[in-house]
């Protein structure tokens, strides 16, 4: 990493020739940027890895409590039968995979799973339905709205991923108490058509905007290992970095190749690529929660710690993700105890709390700004 790049982060008085800071340095010293260029992000991404991790760790400590990890649990409430052709997904009806289609679950089993997740320390409960969109599913959508209301009444953050949304559907989810909507961009705009053809990039951005306009926090990230290049990983971060509001959370998934899908033969994404992507996202999206998502179970404990050092501060934990393995609660509890980590409380992220209309004590808000910490 060049000295100019490093000191632009380490010292707020150092500014690039373009008169832009590469990252917010001290809380309140400069606004979070939304005018990043691809070249600026590429320079960060291409930095020597240890320098990049140090840079990202520094930014992380200026905006988050480095000892806290958000614990999230994901449940598949409607499995398989999706009409999309996402080439990584076992739930597509276009591929012959081990995943079999099933109807939308009733409310009771979902609430039981949410209570179990809460008892095990998860503070965000996420529900996924394998649909292209919600349109035409009035009874099913009404059932999901009930699930949202009931999980929210437990004091948990509640997230859904249901495919494409209209503004009216987003409004109803917000009124039911939805905290966040997950809709990943997956990869760069340029590489996207090689992964999915049944839904455009702009369709995805439209759903994100519908959720945002309704006052719902946005969860949007990508998948590594699709066959993309470094340029595409940079392009993904560029897309979310240019949004008028950065996503409140940015999931980083490592592809789990599923037999029967077009990407079944893809190799596991290298760990250094995962760390480099997380660290770059942390520098560019300083206030966003970065979630280590699918594929985490393939990482060793020390590999996971490297991801946390690079700026990741959320995980999925529990019995499984949508259709892929997850790290169990007891394993994660032991790991966190060993490394001195603890779970976030619900609505600890101030931006999420504000949008949800939740007031939290100052001593619970995530970030070191309240403690006057400006560096490692």
């Amino acid at each position: 990493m060049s000295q100019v790049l490093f000191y632009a982060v380490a010292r707020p008085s150092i500014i690039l020739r373009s008169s832009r800071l590469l990252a917010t340095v001290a809380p309140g010293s400069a606004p979070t940027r939304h005018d990043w260029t691809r070249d600026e992000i590429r320079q960060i991404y291409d930095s020597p890895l240890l320098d990049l991790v140090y840079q990202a760790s520094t930014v992380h400590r200026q905006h988050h409590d480095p000892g806290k990890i958000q614990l999230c649990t994901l449940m598949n409430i409607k499995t398989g039968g999706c009409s999309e052709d996402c080439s990584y997904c076992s739930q597509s009806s276009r591929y012959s995979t081990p995943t079999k289609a099933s109807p939308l679950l009733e409310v009771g089993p979902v609430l039981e799973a949410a209570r179990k997740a809460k008892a095990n320390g998860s503070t965000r409960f996420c529900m996924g339905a394998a649909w292209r969109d919600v349109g035409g599913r009035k009874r099913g959508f009404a059932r999901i709205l009930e699930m949202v209301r009931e999980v929210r009444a437990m004091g948990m953050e509640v997230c859904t991923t249901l495919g494409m949304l209209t503004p009216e559907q987003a409004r109803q989810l917000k009124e039911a108490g939805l905290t966040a909507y997950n809709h990943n961009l997956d990869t760069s705009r340029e590489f996207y058509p090689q992964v999915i053809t049944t839904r455009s990039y702009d369709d995805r951005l439209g759903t994100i905007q519908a959720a945002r306009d309704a006052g719902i926090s946005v969860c949007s990230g990508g998948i590594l290992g699709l066959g993309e290049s470094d340029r595409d990983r940079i392009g993904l971060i560029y897309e979310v970095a240019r949004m008028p509001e950065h996503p409140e959370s940015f999931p980083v998934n490592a592809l789990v190749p599923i037999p029967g899908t077009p990407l079944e033969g893809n190799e596991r994404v290298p760990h250094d690529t995962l760390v480099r992507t997380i660290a770059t996202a942390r520098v560019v999206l300083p206030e966003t929660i970065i979630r280590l998502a699918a594929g985490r179970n393939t990482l060793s404990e020390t590999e996971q710690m490297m991801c946390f050092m690079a700026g990741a501060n959320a995980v999925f934990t529990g019995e499984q993700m949508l259709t892929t393995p997850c790290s169990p609660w007891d394993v994660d509890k032991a790991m966190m105890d060993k490394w001195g980590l603890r779970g976030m409380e619900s609505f600890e992220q101030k931006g999420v709390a504000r949008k949800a209309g939740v007031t939290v004590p100052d001593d619970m808000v995530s970030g070191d700004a309240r403690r006057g910490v400006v560096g490692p």
Side-chain angles (χ1 to χ4, degrees), residues 54 127 132 153 166 169 182 188 250 309 352:
Y54 177 80
M127 298 176 285
R132 168 180 165 79
T166 65
Q169 290 158 353
N182 168 258
S188 70
F250 180 82
M309 288 179 64
V352 170

Side-chain angles (χ1 to χ4, degrees), residues 77-79 101-106 143:
I77 59 174
K78 194 281 172 192
T79 305
S102 62
L104 180 68
L105 293 176
E106 296 297 329
R143 193 183 306 171

Side-chain angles (χ1 to χ4, degrees), residues 4 7 87 154 216 218 243 254:
V4 170
Y7 284 111
S87 56
M154 297 179 193
I216 300 169
V218 168
M243 290 179 178

Side-chain angles (χ1 to χ4, degrees), residues 60 63-69 342 348 366-368 370-371:
H60 184 73
H63 295 270
H64 304 269
D65 185 333
K68 288 190 174 182
I69 302 293
R342 58 198 188 281
E348 189 163 333
S366 178
D368 282 339
R370 57 181 169 79
R371 290 188 292 276

Side-chain angles (χ1 to χ4, degrees), residues 155-279:
M156 300 182 78
E157 297 182 20
V158 55
C159 177
T160 56
T161 178
L162 311 171
M164 291 188 287
L165 286 183
T166 65
E168 174 59 21
Q169 290 158 353
R171 183 190 64 77
Q172 291 180 64
L173 285 165
K174 172 66 175 178
E175 289 180 353
L178 189 71
T179 305
Y181 196 78
N182 168 258
H183 205 62
N184 290 332
L185 292 179
D186 289 345
T187 188
S188 70
R189 180 181 286 273
E190 294 78 13
F191 189 68
Y192 181 87
Q194 298 184 49
V195 181
I196 301 162
T197 66
T198 51
R199 188 190 323 180
S200 73
Y201 212 72
D202 287 330
D203 285 337
R204 289 184 179 262
L205 290 171
T207 289
I208 290 170
Q209 191 59 51
R212 181 72 80 198
D213 289 346
I216 300 169
S217 294
V218 168
C219 174
S220 186
I223 306 172
L224 308 187
L226 301 173
E228 79 284 351
S229 65
D230 285 343
R231 180 178 179 180
D232 297 308
R233 292 182 276 271
I234 292 164
L236 168 66
I237 296 171
Y238 170 79
E239 289 290 342
V240 297
R242 301 275 299 188
M243 290 179 178
E245 284 188 82
H246 292 165
E248 281 77 12
S249 58
F250 180 82
V252 179
N253 298 273
L255 177 71
V256 179
I258 305 294
T261 64
L263 301 185
E264 64 179 344
N266 281 29
E267 295 183 359
R268 175 185 171 185
V269 63
H271 178 248
D272 63 293
T273 298
L274 184 64
V275 171
R276 188 176 292 279
T277 303
I278 288 170

Side-chain angles (χ1 to χ4, degrees), residues 82-99:
C82 182
S83 62
E84 300 273 28
D85 68 353
C86 307
S87 56
Y88 52 80
C89 186
S90 68
Q91 301 197 80
S92 171
S93 61
R94 298 166 184 253
Y95 313 130
S96 179
T97 73
T99 301

